[in-house]
Amino acid sequence: MKHSKFPLILTIIILTFIWAPIIILVANSFNASRFGTVWGGFTLQWYERLFADRNVWRSLENTLIVTGVSTVVSLVLGSLAGFALHRYKTKIQKVHMGIISIPLVIPDILMGMSLLLFFVSIGMPLSIVTIILGHITFCISFVAITILARLQDFDYKIVEAAKDLGAHGWTLFRKIYIPLLAPGLLAGAMLSITLSLDDFIVTFFTAGPGASTLTIHIYSMIRFGTPPVINALSTIFLMLTFLLALIYQRISRRKLN
């Protein structure tokens, strides 16, 4: 029986479609020419310019602050919201579910404009604080949905058994709830981090003077024509992503063994 080569060809096409732009980006980060269509020789000048650019590192610092604060706050509020939606089945919770679901479905540009109008209407100056509030607004929904999905299989008999053994309050929360909800908490945190780091539209509308994040700074670099430096920055982030994935894979293997 002759096997079809179509699945192999299709797989190669898909992998090429996914990886070709990334490979070109990495190659151009070492290209001495400013134009990606021409190879001007191997160079590290774009990395040197990247590490010498203070604005990039200031934007990265702002990005890490926004991501860190918004993730922590969203994780706390989103977990409480998910728990309330699962535990209490009332008409108010139906409204609550609708409010939680709105940021998941409305366009980012609409959310960004709404937040901008809200901050302006209450007289709040645009700054890094408004960026954090904007990121919390949509991150909470993703955390709440993740925790709610995790609670679908939550066994409350363990909680009752712990209460019978004298566990109450903080002990019950630390010894029972957190370990059982840990996968959902981790998934919610990872979603928040990814969405916050990647967001541009909401950040663009809620950022003020001197509160530029990395996404906004990259956008300004593209406008003023410095793509080789962006290639170098993207390559570094790509390598860090692969490194984190490799570390996680090795940790997972050790736990399985």
Side-chain angles (χ1 to χ4, degrees), residues 78-91:
S79 299
L80 294 175
F83 185 81
L85 289 170
H86 176 74
R87 193 66 184 269
Y88 306 103
K89 306 296 182 182
T90 61
K91 293 182 179 180

Side-chain angles (χ1 to χ4, degrees), residues 27-196:
N28 281 326
S29 69
F30 300 102
N31 187 1
S33 174
R34 290 178 56 87
F35 307 99
T37 56
V38 179
W39 179 257
F42 182 86
T43 182
L44 294 175
Q45 63 172 322
W46 309 122
Y47 290 90
E48 294 174 358
R49 289 182 57 178
L50 173 64
F51 287 108
D53 192 343
R54 294 183 179 180
N55 292 327
V56 172
W57 302 110
R58 190 179 298 113
S59 300
L60 177 60
E61 181 182 355
N62 290 337
T63 300
L64 294 178
I65 292 173
V66 170
T67 301
V69 176
S70 61
T71 298
V72 172
V73 176
S74 300
L75 196 60
V76 174
L77 297 181
S79 299
L80 294 175
F83 185 81
L85 289 170
H86 176 74
R87 193 66 184 269
Y88 306 103
K89 306 296 182 182
T90 61
K91 293 182 179 180
I92 296 179
Q93 292 304 321
K94 292 181 180 179
V95 177
H96 185 194
M97 185 64 189
I99 295 173
I100 289 293
S101 301
I102 287 175
L104 300 175
V105 296
I106 66 172
D108 287 346
I109 190 170
L110 180 59
M111 178 177 290
M113 292 176 62
S114 301
L115 288 169
L116 174 61
L117 292 174
F118 172 74
F119 293 139
V120 171
S121 64
I122 64 175
M124 187 174 186
L126 300 180
S127 63
I128 194 171
V129 176
T130 54
I131 298 176
I132 292 173
L133 293 176
H135 284 213
I136 291 173
T137 302
F138 61 81
C139 285
I140 284 180
S141 299
F142 288 92
V143 174
I145 295 300
T146 304
I147 295 299
L148 186 60
R150 179 63 182 173
L151 285 170
Q152 299 300 324
D153 299 324
F154 192 84
D155 189 1
Y156 284 98
K157 293 180 180 179
I158 300 176
V159 178
E160 298 299 329
K163 288 181 179 180
D164 293 338
L165 295 173
H168 295 283
W170 172 248
T171 302
L172 187 66
F173 178 75
R174 182 169 58 90
K175 296 287 187 179
I176 304 299
Y177 282 108
I178 290 183
L180 292 178
L181 294 177
L185 292 171
L186 181 60
M190 291 297 101
L191 272 174
S192 297
I193 292 172
T194 303
L195 293 168
S196 181

